Every structure is written in structure tokens, then in C-alpha cells.
Amino acid sequence: MSVSLRRLYIRLLLAICIPLILVSATLLPVLHVHMESRLDSLYTEADALLKVGQEALTRDINESLNYALAIAEMPALRRYLTGQDETLIVDQHYSLSDLSQLSTFLNTLINHNPRYTKLVLIDNQGREVLRAPTSNETGPRVTGNYHAYTDYFGEASSLLPRDLYISPPGRNLQFELLGNDVIPVVNVSTPVFDAMGVRRGVVLLSLNWGYLTNALRQAMLLDPNANAILIDAQGRWLLDEGIPPLDAASFGGDFASLAPHYWQAIQQRNAGHASVDNHLLRFQTEDIRTLRYRSLAGTIFSENDYHPWKLGVTLPQPSWRSLIEEETTVLWFLLLTYSVAVAFGIFWALSSQRQRQLRKAAQRHAHEVSDLYENAPCGYHSLDSTGRIIKMNRTELAWLGYAEEEVIGHITYRELITPETRDRFDKAFENVKNNHPGSAECSLLTRDGEQRHVMIKASAYYRNGQFVHSRATVFDLTERKRLEEKLRAQAMSDPLTGVFNRRYLQAQATTEISRARRQHHPIALIAIDIDHFKRINDTYGHDVGDDVLKSFTKIVTELLRQEDLLCRVGGEEFAILLPNTSLAQAEQVAERIRSKAASTPINISEEHSEKVLRLTVSLGITAILATEKALKPALKRADIGLYQAKANGRNQIVVNAA
């Protein structure tokens, strides 16, 4: 095989492999972004489905609880219970015909509302006096229509008006026969009081839990791939259908054992997202005893061991395989792109084989040199003996914002230098003209008026002993300068409150003390400590403590002058340097800070509720003596005054003059 043919085979191999690699490197980020977009949409969909389910659960339970309260407050029902305490019903205001009407009315309500299975009216002794519908027999926990030993009667008998007791779904065999099906129920009981406020009995309303949860599932399963989750605090399954890991599960099943990965993810937090078994799990805590479910009710009671519940939804997470299977257009696009790339590579290999490499070498070399000069990451320019620009690459022109025809042969480079740094440039240019290397760190003034910090390194081109032009390389230092300034600012400021830190206070104090000594002006120092700050952290957590520090900083800042210097020198300790301020004036400033801090409420959030904190501060004041050259002695005196203020009971000011 000839060398030429071997080279052709190698070129063909490269022409196939390199385009495939380049196209893959280009398309993979695009596909990754597409996958990220699908995941973001999945998170949004999961949040929306969970919100719909939560609203459905809240609405249905609230309507049921309000329904129970409305029945308990029916005047006819109250009169009927009141009549049970009398000897003969027929002798009371409540007649047998009224009783028949009440029974018919309640039977109609229950029979026409599939949400409820039965309504039972119980007197104060636990005896059943009325039931709707009448065809619904007493459950296995009740003997002879006597409810005195049931949880719903015992709990409701001690409640106040409009209070409710809710039994856990299906607990203690609370299943009922509805038609030919045995269904779980939730018993809701509430006391009945007459118009005089006398307790007359208990109303029991049993909810068809299967009907409620079916409405919940229908609301959440708008996506056919979604699965609803509802479990109690014991890890019991509260729906009548399982999810893919729990296909055999039914109501009351041990979710914690059947799906330990799901249970572990749900149990760790009150709400959030988790990835389990290639599914996205979105969940949150639901407690029917909270304000969200009270509506018209007073207080809701239930078994603590079974609350709160966890409501969630699962959606299958997309994979690369599923993405390609669903997006056939993407697959065809990939195949077409790879085919075009390979075809282009083969065409390039065959055509380049016919070219004469020697004939093109010089042209390629010249082009590469020119391109390297024009588009280098640094600037290049040449100046004549007067400093006039005779050549400049595109990179530097782009920095300055000028076109080539505006600069070359028209202006001197010195005109582009800021006045503050021209002396450095002039000195370096003189060295270059004397055939010595020259360098200078200068600032260029762009067309937009901005400054660009650069380092210029130049040398001279001599011919026949005569200076022809300079050759300079320009390195952009703008970003480095900005980074240095940013790092310097970060080193001198407190990241939490945004005020200066102890290091800046000590550095700035030296300058202010020297200025005060020259101008014979007084200078004062205030040390501040927030009282009982550790108690705030221990009680409400460090996040609330951080919010308190930021709020206090804002209060103090609004009371200071522009020249005053507020610094955070410790956890809850602050110091204020007051130039041109006497000790008496500093005491007035301190009193304003103490008074303002004590009178300004600070709102904080704690476990779904808002609270208001009141702060007090202790302050120590001193004057910086004319003989002192540093801040340390004054800071020590101010700290002594601060500690005395705390020892004297806090929320006060102590002046330590010497």
C-alpha cells in the first residue's frame, strides 16, 4: 500500500471520527438542557398536582366539618334532645309528627349525599335516640345502640360548643357496610347545647372515607402517570388503591414496610421533593387539627399518634431513553446531523488530498500569523517616534471602542492614557526610544468614558541604527483590578450585616485619630452589645438571630451621620467611631440608639406564626485621648463601660471617660 493511499485512509478515518466527536460535544449540552427543562416541568407539574390535591382535601373536610356543626345547631334537633330529658315526648313542645319530619329530613340528607354514611344522635348517657338512615345498623363496637364506651362519644362529651372530635380513618374497626361493600369511615362528633347553653348530647356524623379519598385522587391524577399518596403518622396507607411499589396495598396497609424508601424520604422533612425508585416524589404535611381545616369550627381534637398526615404525589422521572422514544424528531435530527457531519468530513478528506500542501503552506502561515496578531487575547500596537499610532490589532481596538480608521495615523497613544498615569507612559516610551525595554501600568480611557487598567510592555525596532517604531504588548488588568477591589471590600466588611468589621475599624481609626490630632477635634467611641442575644438564638434559632442582627444594624445606621463609622466587632457586639464628637454628644447618640432599639418591634417568623421581639442594648462610651495613637486603649475602656452597664441590669449607658 502506497504512502499516499495510507494517508488517504487515515484522513477518511479522521474525517468520520472527528465530526462525530464534535457534533456529539455540541449536541450533548443541548440535550442536557432539554433534559433539565423536562425535569423543571416535572417539578412544576408535581407542585401543581399537590396543590390541587391539598385544596380538594381541605375543601371536602371543611365542608364535612361545617356540615356536622350545622346539624348540631339545628333548633329542631336541639328541641328533640331537650325533650329526651322529659317523661313523655307527647307532653312536650316537640310532637311525634315533628319527630317524624326531623327523621325524614335527616334520612334525606344522608341518603342523597354519598360523602356521609350515617348520622346518629346520642343523649348525655350515651343512648342512641335517633339514626339516619334507619337502615344502617349499629357497628360492631356498639352494643344495643349504646355508645357510652366509644371514643367519639367520650371525647365529644367534654368538648365546648363548636368543638369537634375526629377519629382516625378506619381505627378500631370503624368500617361500615354500605350496600354490599365494607368501607372505612371517619367519625366526626360534636356536642349539642340548647339555647340556654346546657349540654344535651352528641351528634355523630360518619364520613365515607373512600368517597373523600376518591375525590382527592381524581383531583390529583390529572396526569395519567401520576400517583397520589396519603399516609398517617404511623405509616399506614389511607387510600383504597396503591402506587406502583404498592400495587397489592389496600386501605390500612403498612406503607412504611412496603415502601421503606418512600417512607424514609417522607419522614425526614415536613415538605419537599425527593427522587425515589426513578420517580419524583413531592409531599407535604397535612394536619386536620390546624387552622386551615377549622373553618367554622372552634378547636379540632383527634388522636395525636395518627397525626399529622403526609400528602404526596409521584411522577416518573424522564430518562434519556424515554426522551428519545417520546421525541422522535430529536432522534431523526441526531441521525441527520451525524450523517451530514460524516459526509462533510469525507468530502473534506477527499478534496484536501488533491490539494497541493506546499502551494498553500505560505498562505496558511501568513493567515495564521495575521489572525494571531489581530485576535490575540492581548493587545498589540506600534508607535512612531512621536508616539503616533501606526498599527493596532483588533483586540485593543475593541477594548477602546474605536474603528481602525479613526485611530491609525490620526492620534497619539498618549491621548488614550488617563492624565493620572501619563507620566508612567512617558517614562516608559522614552526608555523604548533609547533602545531599552519599557513597561508601565496605565489606565486607558475608552470611547465610552470608561477606564481599562492595562500593563504595557514594549521594545524598539531599529534599522541601520535608527529608531523605526515601537512594538508593544498590552495586557488587560481590568478584571484583576476589580477582583482585587472586591476582595479588599469583602475583607473589610461583615458578610451578614453589610457594615464594616473589626479590621476596618482598627485601620480607619488610625486615620481618624491622626486627623483629629491635627485639627484638634474630639473623637468618641461607643461599644454596643445586644442584651440576652444568646437566649434569642437558643429559643428561635440562629436564622432568627441573624435577622435580629440585620434589623438592629438598620436601626443604628438610620441614627448616624455619614461620617460616623458603624462596625460589627463580634457576634452581637458593635462599635461606633464618632469623629468630631465630644463625650457629651456621644452620650446623646448612645441614648438615641438605646431608646430607638427598645421601642422598635422586630417581627420574626416561628413555625407558621409571626412574633414580635423587643430588643434592649447595653452601651459603653469613651473618648479617644489626644495622646493615643491607636484604638486599642479606647476600645478597652468602652468595653469596660459596656460590661458595667450589663452588670447594672442592662438596657443602659455607662460613660468611662478614662
Side-chain angles (χ1 to χ4, degrees), residues 620-648:
I621 308 173
T622 191
I624 300 177
L625 305 180
T627 58
E628 295 174 340
K629 297 182 179 180
L631 182 66
K632 187 175 181 180
L635 190 57
K636 184 175 182 180
R637 291 195 303 274
D639 283 339
I640 292 173
L642 172 62
Y643 295 143
Q644 290 178 356
K646 283 188 169 293
N648 294 340

Side-chain angles (χ1 to χ4, degrees), residues 14 228 541:
L14 293 176

Side-chain angles (χ1 to χ4, degrees), residues 79-254:
R79 291 197 305 272
Y80 177 64
L81 271 180
T82 302
Q84 299 308 300
D85 292 338
E86 304 298 333
T87 306
L88 293 172
I89 297 178
V90 295
D91 297 331
Q92 306 306 315
H93 298 292
Y94 204 97
S95 66
L96 291 177
S97 62
D98 292 334
L99 173 60
S100 176
Q101 292 178 2
L102 176 60
S103 178
T104 301
F105 173 74
L106 294 179
N107 272 280
T108 302
L109 286 180
I110 300 302
N111 288 328
H112 287 80
N113 196 330
R115 184 185 299 172
Y116 310 108
T117 63
K118 70 174 180 296
L119 170 68
V120 180
L121 187 60
I122 308 168
D123 65 15
N124 285 330
Q125 287 71 42
R127 295 188 300 269
E128 180 176 318
V129 297
L130 187 63
R131 172 180 288 264
T134 55
S135 60
N136 193 332
E137 297 181 358
T138 302
R141 293 190 308 142
V142 179
T143 303
N145 295 339
Y146 189 63
H147 301 257
Y149 300 105
T150 61
D151 58 336
Y152 50 80
F153 176 79
E155 293 290 340
S157 296
S158 60
L159 299 183
L160 298 175
R162 304 191 73 81
D163 286 351
L164 291 164
Y165 169 77
I166 302 178
S167 67
R171 180 170 174 259
N172 294 335
L173 300 178
Q174 292 180 19
F175 290 76
E176 289 190 357
L177 185 64
L178 189 66
N180 294 322
D181 297 323
V182 178
I183 61 171
V185 299
V186 172
N187 288 324
V188 178
S189 58
T190 183
V192 179
F193 291 81
D194 62 16
M196 302 302 294
V198 177
R199 188 185 304 270
R200 292 301 183 181
V202 171
V203 166
L204 169 66
L205 184 64
S206 295
L207 308 182
N208 185 337
W209 185 247
Y211 179 85
L212 283 178
T213 55
N214 184 60
L216 168 67
R217 292 182 69 258
Q218 293 300 322
M220 296 183 67
L221 303 187
L222 299 177
D223 187 330
N225 296 319
N227 292 286
I229 291 177
L230 185 63
I231 56 176
D232 65 15
Q234 301 291 331
R236 294 192 317 153
W237 187 251
L238 298 182
L239 299 176
D240 55 354
E241 293 185 18
I243 59 176
L246 300 172
D247 285 335
S250 60
F251 175 84
D254 190 353

